[in-house]
Amino acid sequence: MKPSIPQQDRIIALDIIRGLALFGILFINVKGYIILTEGMIIPEYTGINQVIDTLIIIFVEKKFFSIFSFLFGVGFYIFASRAESRGDKPIKRFTRRLLVLLLIGVIHTLVFWGTILPAYALIGLLLLPFYRAKATTIRNWLAGITGVYMLALILKLTMGGAGTLSNVVDLAISDVTLIFIMFLAGFLAAKADWIRSIGKLKKRLRFAQIGSLPIFAGLSLWIWIAAQHGADNLKLIVSLSSIPGVLLYVTSLFLILEHRSVRTLLQPFARVGQMALTNYVAQSIIGLWIISLMGLETLSPANVVLIACLIMIVELIWSNLWFRYFKMGPLEKGWRFMTYGKKQTVQ
């Protein structure tokens, strides 16, 4: 059995986008590295800090963890289909992989309470029934769930609501729903072989890119105005912008990464993306260390940007150094070992 992906078979664009997504996630997670305690005062941001905070809300919040979720769905199909091609049982193998991820995630909560890993493991189980489904069936489910998500957000924004209907709407607009939409979208993209056919799909990608741009721009302006006025529905508007934003980001990234010069420039991020699990967990440890060194009790948006950039610089350096001597990240190696139950070699 040969479970690993040969380096020549890797889709470098996916690793680069995964590395960039990890960078984006930092701008949200860094704020969670400091645990809020009773009596702690969170200052109101003014001036440059207010601008930075609003820009993070517009361009980062819910977008990059959604891209990361999309890539998780892609990874599920690649992993399961390769397992099946080797004569393995893909559903059973991926279920075990998810359970191991759940264990890693639970341990990670001891360091970072906001870790997404346990949620990924549990929501990932919902993908299992779709493995045998046709691409058209998956597309219909994706369209249906996405439609419900967007409609529920619009209802919440326009009508508010209370009682049973409000509870149903709140469930429909939760991050669990958004994560599953992205999981399913990534799974469909891999199953339909769109990921390996970017060159042939350029016209469709540009159409999606151009179509999502004015929608995202309009919603971004709405978020800016809402943030300046302290609107209560700000989080709902941000959620409404998440899918158009991800569509714009993903199509743009895949299109620009078709150019060899861009791939070469962003190649260091591919190494970060190749050991995404290790780097995701390491971010919280490095972040806590930096915050401790700086002696910070609260984090301003400017602090968040500085710390996020410092963490990514560290991960860029150490990830690229790591792959000079090893063929996979340390947590990835442990994850693989616990998934297969015996030592595996990397080609």
mmCIF file of all heavy atoms in Angstrom, residues 8-9 54 56 70 75 89 95-96 145 151 153 160 169 186 197 214 222 252 272 284 291-292 327 330 340:
data_model
loop_
_atom_site.group_PDB
_atom_site.id
_atom_site.type_symbol
_atom_site.label_atom_id
_atom_site.label_comp_id
_atom_site.label_asym_id
_atom_site.label_seq_id
_atom_site.Cartn_x
_atom_site.Cartn_y
_atom_site.Cartn_z
ATOM 1 N N GLN A 8 5.685 14.751 -7.613
ATOM 2 C CA GLN A 8 5.385 15.176 -8.961
ATOM 3 C C GLN A 8 3.898 15.171 -9.254
ATOM 4 O O GLN A 8 3.453 15.779 -10.225
ATOM 5 C CB GLN A 8 6.110 14.293 -9.985
ATOM 6 C CG GLN A 8 5.695 12.824 -9.988
ATOM 7 C CD GLN A 8 6.549 11.972 -9.075
ATOM 8 O OE1 GLN A 8 7.126 12.497 -8.109
ATOM 9 N NE2 GLN A 8 6.654 10.691 -9.363
ATOM 10 N N ASP A 9 3.109 14.486 -8.433
ATOM 11 C CA ASP A 9 1.671 14.433 -8.639
ATOM 12 C C ASP A 9 0.923 15.505 -7.841
ATOM 13 O O ASP A 9 -0.289 15.647 -7.982
ATOM 14 C CB ASP A 9 1.124 13.054 -8.236
ATOM 15 C CG ASP A 9 1.558 11.969 -9.218
ATOM 16 O OD1 ASP A 9 2.029 12.344 -10.303
ATOM 17 O OD2 ASP A 9 1.418 10.787 -8.875
ATOM 18 N N THR A 54 -11.623 47.257 10.391
ATOM 19 C CA THR A 54 -12.687 47.171 9.392
ATOM 20 C C THR A 54 -12.209 46.449 8.138
ATOM 21 O O THR A 54 -12.945 45.647 7.552
ATOM 22 C CB THR A 54 -13.196 48.582 9.020
ATOM 23 O OG1 THR A 54 -13.613 49.263 10.209
ATOM 24 C CG2 THR A 54 -14.376 48.495 8.075
ATOM 25 N N ILE A 56 -9.925 44.135 7.988
ATOM 26 C CA ILE A 56 -9.854 42.705 8.312
ATOM 27 C C ILE A 56 -11.245 42.087 8.250
ATOM 28 O O ILE A 56 -11.438 40.990 7.717
ATOM 29 C CB ILE A 56 -9.224 42.491 9.707
ATOM 30 C CG1 ILE A 56 -7.733 42.844 9.673
ATOM 31 C CG2 ILE A 56 -9.416 41.043 10.170
ATOM 32 C CD1 ILE A 56 -7.063 42.803 11.041
ATOM 33 N N PHE A 70 -12.806 24.756 1.827
ATOM 34 C CA PHE A 70 -12.911 24.321 0.432
ATOM 35 C C PHE A 70 -11.799 23.332 0.101
ATOM 36 O O PHE A 70 -12.027 22.271 -0.504
ATOM 37 C CB PHE A 70 -12.844 25.542 -0.490
ATOM 38 C CG PHE A 70 -12.753 25.218 -1.956
ATOM 39 C CD1 PHE A 70 -13.901 24.970 -2.701
ATOM 40 C CD2 PHE A 70 -11.524 25.173 -2.595
ATOM 41 C CE1 PHE A 70 -13.813 24.672 -4.060
ATOM 42 C CE2 PHE A 70 -11.424 24.879 -3.950
ATOM 43 C CZ PHE A 70 -12.578 24.627 -4.681
ATOM 44 N N GLY A 75 -9.251 17.852 -0.569
ATOM 45 C CA GLY A 75 -8.366 16.834 0.004
ATOM 46 C C GLY A 75 -9.092 15.546 0.324
ATOM 47 O O GLY A 75 -8.519 14.458 0.176
ATOM 48 N N LYS A 89 -10.419 0.552 1.552
ATOM 49 C CA LYS A 89 -11.807 0.950 1.750
ATOM 50 C C LYS A 89 -11.836 2.443 2.059
ATOM 51 O O LYS A 89 -11.507 2.852 3.181
ATOM 52 C CB LYS A 89 -12.428 0.148 2.896
ATOM 53 C CG LYS A 89 -12.496 -1.351 2.617
ATOM 54 C CD LYS A 89 -13.082 -2.103 3.799
ATOM 55 C CE LYS A 89 -13.160 -3.596 3.510
ATOM 56 N NZ LYS A 89 -13.702 -4.354 4.671
ATOM 57 N N THR A 95 -12.912 7.845 7.525
ATOM 58 C CA THR A 95 -13.550 7.972 8.837
ATOM 59 C C THR A 95 -12.494 7.897 9.935
ATOM 60 O O THR A 95 -12.505 8.689 10.888
ATOM 61 C CB THR A 95 -14.595 6.860 9.048
ATOM 62 O OG1 THR A 95 -15.599 6.964 8.034
ATOM 63 C CG2 THR A 95 -15.243 6.963 10.412
ATOM 64 N N ARG A 96 -11.592 6.962 9.789
ATOM 65 C CA ARG A 96 -10.508 6.848 10.773
ATOM 66 C C ARG A 96 -9.638 8.102 10.760
ATOM 67 O O ARG A 96 -9.228 8.602 11.826
ATOM 68 C CB ARG A 96 -9.663 5.617 10.451
ATOM 69 C CG ARG A 96 -8.514 5.392 11.424
ATOM 70 C CD ARG A 96 -7.946 3.998 11.264
ATOM 71 N NE ARG A 96 -6.764 3.797 12.084
ATOM 72 C CZ ARG A 96 -6.184 2.618 12.294
ATOM 73 N NH1 ARG A 96 -6.695 1.517 11.748
ATOM 74 N NH2 ARG A 96 -5.114 2.521 13.047
ATOM 75 N N ILE A 145 -28.274 23.739 -0.517
ATOM 76 C CA ILE A 145 -27.807 24.167 0.810
ATOM 77 C C ILE A 145 -27.326 25.613 0.768
ATOM 78 O O ILE A 145 -27.599 26.402 1.684
ATOM 79 C CB ILE A 145 -26.698 23.234 1.320
ATOM 80 C CG1 ILE A 145 -27.229 21.807 1.470
ATOM 81 C CG2 ILE A 145 -26.150 23.732 2.654
ATOM 82 C CD1 ILE A 145 -26.168 20.773 1.760
ATOM 83 N N LEU A 151 -30.612 32.563 1.668
ATOM 84 C CA LEU A 151 -31.979 33.001 1.938
ATOM 85 C C LEU A 151 -32.196 33.243 3.428
ATOM 86 O O LEU A 151 -32.832 34.234 3.827
ATOM 87 C CB LEU A 151 -32.975 31.959 1.424
ATOM 88 C CG LEU A 151 -34.466 32.262 1.662
ATOM 89 C CD1 LEU A 151 -34.856 33.559 0.963
ATOM 90 C CD2 LEU A 151 -35.324 31.097 1.171
ATOM 91 N N LEU A 153 -29.944 34.088 5.609
ATOM 92 C CA LEU A 153 -29.246 35.323 5.974
ATOM 93 C C LEU A 153 -30.074 36.552 5.601
ATOM 94 O O LEU A 153 -30.180 37.509 6.379
ATOM 95 C CB LEU A 153 -27.878 35.384 5.270
ATOM 96 C CG LEU A 153 -26.756 34.566 5.888
ATOM 97 C CD1 LEU A 153 -25.561 34.504 4.957
ATOM 98 C CD2 LEU A 153 -26.338 35.156 7.244
ATOM 99 N N GLY A 160 -35.433 39.801 11.047
ATOM 100 C CA GLY A 160 -35.047 39.475 12.422
ATOM 101 C C GLY A 160 -35.715 38.182 12.814
ATOM 102 O O GLY A 160 -35.362 37.119 12.328
ATOM 103 N N VAL A 169 -33.626 29.480 11.430
ATOM 104 C CA VAL A 169 -32.814 30.405 10.637
ATOM 105 C C VAL A 169 -31.410 30.511 11.218
ATOM 106 O O VAL A 169 -30.411 30.495 10.485
ATOM 107 C CB VAL A 169 -33.481 31.798 10.565
ATOM 108 C CG1 VAL A 169 -32.518 32.827 9.961
ATOM 109 C CG2 VAL A 169 -34.762 31.734 9.744
ATOM 110 N N GLY A 186 -15.570 22.001 -2.445
ATOM 111 C CA GLY A 186 -14.239 21.472 -2.733
ATOM 112 C C GLY A 186 -14.287 20.031 -3.200
ATOM 113 O O GLY A 186 -13.568 19.638 -4.135
ATOM 114 N N SER A 197 -8.143 20.900 -14.388
ATOM 115 C CA SER A 197 -8.553 21.394 -15.713
ATOM 116 C C SER A 197 -8.702 22.903 -15.722
ATOM 117 O O SER A 197 -9.527 23.443 -16.471
ATOM 118 C CB SER A 197 -9.883 20.735 -16.113
ATOM 119 O OG SER A 197 -9.818 19.329 -16.011
ATOM 120 N N PRO A 214 -18.560 42.590 -8.500
ATOM 121 C CA PRO A 214 -19.440 43.682 -8.079
ATOM 122 C C PRO A 214 -20.294 43.336 -6.860
ATOM 123 O O PRO A 214 -20.598 44.220 -6.042
ATOM 124 C CB PRO A 214 -20.324 43.923 -9.316
ATOM 125 C CG PRO A 214 -20.245 42.667 -10.111
ATOM 126 C CD PRO A 214 -18.875 42.121 -9.854
ATOM 127 N N TRP A 222 -21.100 47.973 2.089
ATOM 128 C CA TRP A 222 -22.138 47.872 3.127
ATOM 129 C C TRP A 222 -21.498 47.556 4.485
ATOM 130 O O TRP A 222 -21.853 48.146 5.509
ATOM 131 C CB TRP A 222 -23.140 46.795 2.725
ATOM 132 C CG TRP A 222 -24.387 46.735 3.567
ATOM 133 C CD1 TRP A 222 -24.756 47.598 4.559
ATOM 134 C CD2 TRP A 222 -25.425 45.755 3.491
ATOM 135 N NE1 TRP A 222 -25.962 47.223 5.111
ATOM 136 C CE2 TRP A 222 -26.398 46.090 4.468
ATOM 137 C CE3 TRP A 222 -25.634 44.629 2.690
ATOM 138 C CZ2 TRP A 222 -27.550 45.325 4.667
ATOM 139 C CZ3 TRP A 222 -26.781 43.884 2.884
ATOM 140 C CH2 TRP A 222 -27.734 44.221 3.857
ATOM 141 N N SER A 252 -9.761 33.924 -8.681
ATOM 142 C CA SER A 252 -8.623 34.797 -8.980
ATOM 143 C C SER A 252 -7.304 34.086 -8.725
ATOM 144 O O SER A 252 -6.365 34.171 -9.530
ATOM 145 C CB SER A 252 -8.699 36.072 -8.137
ATOM 146 O OG SER A 252 -9.875 36.808 -8.417
ATOM 147 N N VAL A 272 4.423 25.803 3.237
ATOM 148 C CA VAL A 272 3.567 26.027 4.404
ATOM 149 C C VAL A 272 2.277 25.220 4.245
ATOM 150 O O VAL A 272 1.805 24.579 5.190
ATOM 151 C CB VAL A 272 3.239 27.531 4.555
ATOM 152 C CG1 VAL A 272 2.252 27.749 5.702
ATOM 153 C CG2 VAL A 272 4.506 28.332 4.811
ATOM 154 N N SER A 284 -0.648 28.814 16.891
ATOM 155 C CA SER A 284 -1.103 29.203 18.223
ATOM 156 C C SER A 284 0.057 29.205 19.218
ATOM 157 O O SER A 284 0.126 30.073 20.102
ATOM 158 C CB SER A 284 -2.218 28.269 18.701
ATOM 159 O OG SER A 284 -1.816 26.912 18.625
ATOM 160 N N ILE A 291 3.297 36.962 21.848
ATOM 161 C CA ILE A 291 2.488 37.832 22.710
ATOM 162 C C ILE A 291 3.091 37.928 24.103
ATOM 163 O O ILE A 291 3.137 38.998 24.710
ATOM 164 C CB ILE A 291 1.038 37.306 22.780
ATOM 165 C CG1 ILE A 291 0.348 37.499 21.422
ATOM 166 C CG2 ILE A 291 0.253 38.016 23.887
ATOM 167 C CD1 ILE A 291 -0.988 36.802 21.308
ATOM 168 N N SER A 292 3.604 36.792 24.594
ATOM 169 C CA SER A 292 4.246 36.784 25.912
ATOM 170 C C SER A 292 5.514 37.636 25.909
ATOM 171 O O SER A 292 5.757 38.409 26.847
ATOM 172 C CB SER A 292 4.585 35.341 26.308
ATOM 173 O OG SER A 292 5.276 35.297 27.526
ATOM 174 N N LYS A 327 10.159 14.722 4.230
ATOM 175 C CA LYS A 327 9.200 14.685 3.126
ATOM 176 C C LYS A 327 7.770 14.989 3.561
ATOM 177 O O LYS A 327 6.885 15.080 2.705
ATOM 178 C CB LYS A 327 9.267 13.331 2.425
ATOM 179 C CG LYS A 327 10.618 13.090 1.756
ATOM 180 C CD LYS A 327 10.637 11.797 0.968
ATOM 181 C CE LYS A 327 11.969 11.622 0.249
ATOM 182 N NZ LYS A 327 12.006 10.353 -0.533
ATOM 183 N N PRO A 330 5.739 17.019 10.736
ATOM 184 C CA PRO A 330 5.701 16.092 11.871
ATOM 185 C C PRO A 330 4.291 15.650 12.262
ATOM 186 O O PRO A 330 4.051 14.468 12.506
ATOM 187 C CB PRO A 330 6.370 16.887 13.000
ATOM 188 C CG PRO A 330 6.331 18.318 12.565
ATOM 189 C CD PRO A 330 6.379 18.294 11.079
ATOM 190 N N TYR A 340 -3.316 4.851 9.225
ATOM 191 C CA TYR A 340 -3.049 3.560 8.586
ATOM 192 C C TYR A 340 -2.624 2.476 9.565
ATOM 193 O O TYR A 340 -2.653 1.299 9.223
ATOM 194 C CB TYR A 340 -1.974 3.715 7.496
ATOM 195 C CG TYR A 340 -2.499 4.467 6.294
ATOM 196 C CD1 TYR A 340 -2.326 5.828 6.172
ATOM 197 C CD2 TYR A 340 -3.190 3.792 5.289
ATOM 198 C CE1 TYR A 340 -2.825 6.517 5.081
ATOM 199 C CE2 TYR A 340 -3.703 4.474 4.189
ATOM 200 C CZ TYR A 340 -3.511 5.831 4.085
ATOM 201 O OH TYR A 340 -4.012 6.512 3.010
#
